[in-house]
Amino acid sequence: MSAKEKKELPSQGRKAWETCVDGLPERPQKFMTVSSVPIKALYTPDDVPGLDYQRDLGYPGFYPYTRGVQPNMYRGRLWTMRQFAGFATAKESNERYKYLLSQGQTGLSVAFDMPTIMGYDSDHPRAFGEVGRVGVAIDSLEDMETLFSGIPLDKITTSMTINAPAAVLWCMYIATAEKQGIPSHKLGGTIQNDILKEYIAQKSWIFPPEPSMRLITDIFAFSGQHVPRWNTVSISGYHIREAGSTAVQELAFTLADGFAYVEAGINAGIDVDSFAPRLSFFFNAHIDFFEEIAKYRAARRIWARRMKEKYGAKDERSLLLRFHTQTAGCSLTAQQPENNIVRTAYEALAAVLGGTQSLHTNSMDEVLALPSEKAVLIALRTQQIIAEETGAIYTIDPLAGSYFVEALTDQMEAEAEKYFERIEQLGGVLPAIDQGFFQQEIADAAYRYQLEIEQKERIIVGVNDYVIEEPRQLDLLKIDPQIEEEQIKRLRVLRAKRDNAVCGSRLETLRRAAGTRENLIPYILECVRAYVTEGEVIQVLRDVFGEYKEKPIF
Amino acid sequence: MQQKIIEGIINGDRRMVARAISLIEDEASEKETILSAIFPYTGKAYCLGITGAPGAGKSSLVDQLLVLLRRQGLRVGVIAVDPTSPFTGGAILGDRIRMQEHALDKAVFIRSMGTRGNLGGLSRATKDVIQILDAFGKDVVIIETVGVGQSEVDIIKYADTTVVVLTPASGDSVQTIKAGIMEIADVFVVNKADLPGADRTVSEISMMLDLGGKKRAWRPPIVRTITLDGSGVGELHRALLDHREYLTSSGRLEKAREDRVRRDIVDLIEYKVKSTIWRQVSGSAEFELLVSRIMSRETDPYAAAVQILRSINLNGLSP
Amino acid sequence: MREEKKIRVLVAKPGLDGHDRGAKVVARALRDAGMEVVYTGLHQTAEQVVEAAIQEDVDIIGLSILSGAHLTIFPRVCQLLRENNAEDIIVMGGGTIPDEDIEELISKGFARALFTPGATSAEIVGWIRKVTAEN
Ligand SMILES: Nc1nc2c(ncn2[C@@H]2O[C@H](COP(=O)(O)OP(=O)(O)OP(=O)(O)O)[C@@H](O)[C@H]2O)c(=O)[nH]1
Ligand SMILES: [Mg+2]
């Protein structure tokens, strides 16, 4: 073969293929990702022309961490299988936690009920009908003590899904440890504490953005000094995605939130390397396999580059994007719910191939109610099957080098950068929230997705095709309405027996401090130590900070 | 039913008030009877208009004003207008979100309306709904217009006092707001005064007022507000009272209301004549024939109009 | 020049959960079908919902509930409507509601229709047009 022929062969090959393919009929379907991104029939080296291995991918555990944050990934340690759970009352949850720990689990993940999440005590009129329903009801330190009674808090790590009132619940946790004789610097765990995504997507806010951000930087500062092993924010794309965003929007908005926290910390005068290593992420694993994997890879690369280049982080750990993943609740269907097991399995596999640090797999019945025992077990087994049987995890980042996956990864990064620019033009994340930018982008994507389903441009098995007549649904877990009354009774007894004078004066001190720029965590800690309730602390802060009202965006 | 609604309005039954408003919005046949019947009970409410660009904080201000007015024991009605989609005729009415804290206050009545094709920043029904709320016993009726650009100034036809809300936000600088909306203000509010640039906006408005040159009997005061914590709202309230006092003592309130009556009558006549003519003409064979003759250039629109008018019978002016 | 009567719908998110994706998609679909949708925002009490429905004179109240509190909220809303002589306002809902709870709510008259995930906006629009025409 002459040199000339050699050079021309590939392009001839491509042309020949294109002509050939052009003549072949395609199914009428639209070939697009779950985020409506069109996908080509074939990806080749032409789609990743500038790919520089060292610069763009590198080695696992090394900059820019595209291939993973640990050098040996799952060969060293599996991801944490962290199933999120919360039950009615502190006492019942405590029993469940102890059982889980006796089975070798080392991490707990607490789900709170809606009144706790919104800062209302169980006896508040707004709590009516919701106490203990979607998680555990915690009103005061007493409940927190019960929740962890007999569980040594220096031996486990605890993840708490709590946002607007995170400071209060965190203080209760610290105070519970004190009662166990454990100093705060020995505590490890995570609070979600990501208020930005609440305004953007999940809508469990209490205060306006400015004071909310101040509480978060107060937590950064306090944690840096007293609770150094704590993950202070779990920057969450999960809920952005569940609200209907595309994969790129999830990626871009979540990272933008992350950078906003970094800037808030820096502007509050805290050294970036003292808090950035404690930031972690929480992503969704939706059903579009390759798009999701590309999303996680792009996320790691963007974070590392920006943290290093823009925010001047020096500590390697500040550059690592560590993340938890949950499979997509919004991809599950109420119809033929057993199919959800299959969906969840693919999603979990994408998360693992994308290099997640921990994973929650949804239960098949989650669309309908709190998960039943059996469904939870299957969900956990799904992860174990991936880990033990599939062999998919023996080598690190196995899809690297795929023309398709690398092209998608690049494309996601580029699209995310465009969003960062637009957000910047709007003046940053908070002004963009105020102008409804994120909310509008998400609402549009959600509406488009719904229309695609209704017009059958997108098929969801069992929903708009492959439909069958179904008998009644699975056995579902029910919460006893009695629980609400009992919790309220306990709360009344507590209010009667605690030293109300001390409570009152500590609340007043907190109120005064809230009007200044002082760090509020020590004041909140003082309150909860005296058994001031969550609702009472939040009410004082509400008085001072005001309450957020959403801008209606459709 | 009609009678029940009329009595309901006068006796303060909010369900009947709500019903009446719908009938008016839908241009139902009961409309005129109801409005005539309640007319003797109207004339007491003071009417406050709030207008400004989209997102300026109009609803938030209404919410805050409600707090103050209620503290004084005043009964308040709110009409909040949002745009109707010209394509579908549908609308999402979201102003209420910011006022929902007052939902359970029986002395406050909030009604959201779509513009339903009307262009002036209000809905056609607004004027009549004010009457209903007036007869219902509201001391103050607040009207929030749609987020307006420049030409939607219908509000001054109905409001005794018009508040124009501006913000320091970039791109919203006073120069960019057309004179139209600036001229209708009895009071200026610079809301979102917590954001940078508020001082500049205030001085821009002030300069613009000075530029007007002519001596004004009433120079619109400029009030800064932050609805997030309510600051400045007390001052706004005082400015509103001052303006009302000015209108009353100068006799302008009386005069304006008289003008309004004049205009109302003219509007009603126009409307009735128009609709009567239209009912006889639209779709009629004669009309269609004329259209085709104009198309083939056998006659012209001017001659056709005269011909049609000759055949119109206005005696049966329908209600 | 009587216009056709506009259908007015109150879309409400009672309770504390903030998952408004469904409520917003439905609101938008109803608007696109030419209806007037009053949106009261998140975190509403049953009392606020009912009072807004009365003042706004809506034909339909649509409640979106994903927190599992449907068995308390629907009966409460219906009770308040009765107390205010407003039972003629039709209550419908959507969200994640198990079949047996749907049966219970419908059979006891606490809701006229409940749409679960998978229902299309065309179904919801069609249903609303039908029942408001009957009323
Ligand atoms: N920073 C700041 N934001 C405010 C203030 N007042 C209102 N806002 C915000 O401005 C946005 C719009 O407020 P609205 O009261 O709905 O404004 P509006 O003029 O009624 O809006 P439309 O009815 O949609 O035209 C919301 O996000 C408010 O939180 C303020 O004083 N300061
Ligand atoms: Mg408004």
Side-chain angles (χ1 to χ4, degrees), chain B residues 37-308:
Chain B
I38 61 154
F39 189 77
Y41 301 89
T42 61
K44 292 171 299 243
Y46 193 80
C47 198
L48 190 63
I50 314 264
T51 190
K58 299 179 290 297
S59 303
S60 310
L61 272 174
V62 173
D63 177 53
Q64 295 282 335
L65 278 173
L66 280 170
V67 175
L68 287 190
L69 296 172
R70 288 297 300 130
R71 222 174 267 158
Q72 299 185 311
L74 295 169
R75 290 158 297 179
V76 191
V78 177
I79 301 171
V81 189
D82 268 326
T84 295
S85 156
F87 305 107
T88 66
I92 293 179
L93 313 174
D95 288 320
R96 237 196 130 84
I97 293 181
R98 300 196 180 276
M99 310 170 194
Q100 269 299 79
E101 286 313 304
H102 302 280
L104 299 183
D105 181 345
K106 289 283 188 297
V108 174
F109 186 99
I110 302 167
R111 181 60 177 245
S112 317
M113 305 203 294
T115 50
R116 298 201 185 176
N118 205 47
L119 292 178
L122 297 174
S123 73
R124 273 257 315 280
T126 308
K127 175 186 77 172
D128 298 332
V129 174
I130 296 169
Q131 298 280 302
I132 300 276
L133 293 175
D134 190 346
F136 179 38
K138 295 302 173 203
D139 303 301
V140 180
V141 174
I142 305 179
I143 305 162
E144 178 186 339
T145 73
V146 302
V148 295
Q150 27 178 297
S151 57
E152 297 91 337
V153 296
D154 272 4
I155 185 68
I156 48 162
K157 293 195 208 150
Y158 312 119
D160 297 314
T161 300
T162 299
V163 178
V164 171
V165 186
L166 302 169
T167 62
S170 55
D172 195 25
S173 129
V174 177
Q175 281 95 330
T176 68
I177 301 201
K178 289 277 153 44
I181 187 141
M182 299 300 286
E183 273 165 14
I184 64 171
D186 298 311
V187 176
F188 284 104
V189 165
V190 176
N191 186 40
K192 309 197 187 185
D194 51 314
L195 301 181
D199 288 338
R200 211 192 73 205
T201 309
V202 169
S203 61
E204 277 176 355
I205 299 169
S206 182
M207 259 163 56
M208 196 209 59
L209 290 175
D210 294 338
L211 266 179
K214 59 176 183 243
K215 267 253 179 288
R216 300 160 189 263
W218 171 260
R219 185 190 159 96
I222 309 167
V223 183
R224 281 163 227 247
T225 59
I226 305 172
T227 66
L228 304 178
D229 60 8
S231 52
V233 180
E235 212 184 307
L236 169 61
H237 184 229
R238 248 165 284 131
L240 298 175
L241 290 178
D242 287 348
H243 186 244
R244 181 178 189 164
E245 169 56 28
Y246 158 76
L247 289 180
T248 334
S249 60
S250 65
R252 279 171 200 255
L253 187 63
E254 218 28 53
K255 170 88 173 42
R257 290 189 170 183
E258 201 182 294
D259 287 348
R260 215 170 288 157
V261 168
R262 249 184 219 107
R263 205 178 43 232
D264 279 354
I265 300 173
V266 172
D267 282 353
L268 270 173
I269 293 173
E270 260 179 29
Y271 174 73
K272 278 173 183 290
V273 169
K274 236 197 232 164
S275 55
T276 305
I277 293 177
W278 197 235
R279 202 166 6 223
Q280 293 177 34
V281 166
S282 85
S284 75
E286 186 197 2
F287 183 73
E288 292 307 320
L289 183 67
L290 281 170
V291 170
S292 58
R293 289 188 57 209
I294 294 169
M295 290 302 287
S296 59
R297 296 296 184 274
E298 290 167 57
T299 181
D300 62 275
Y302 311 94
V306 171
Q307 185 181 330
I308 286 177

Side-chain angles (χ1 to χ4, degrees), chain A residues 248 251-252 255 302 411-421:
Chain A
V248 166
L251 172 68
L255 291 183
I302 297 171
Q411 193 180 329
M412 288 227 143
E413 180 172 6
E415 295 287 324
E417 294 286 349
K418 275 191 218 155
Y419 267 123
F420 297 151
E421 248 168 62

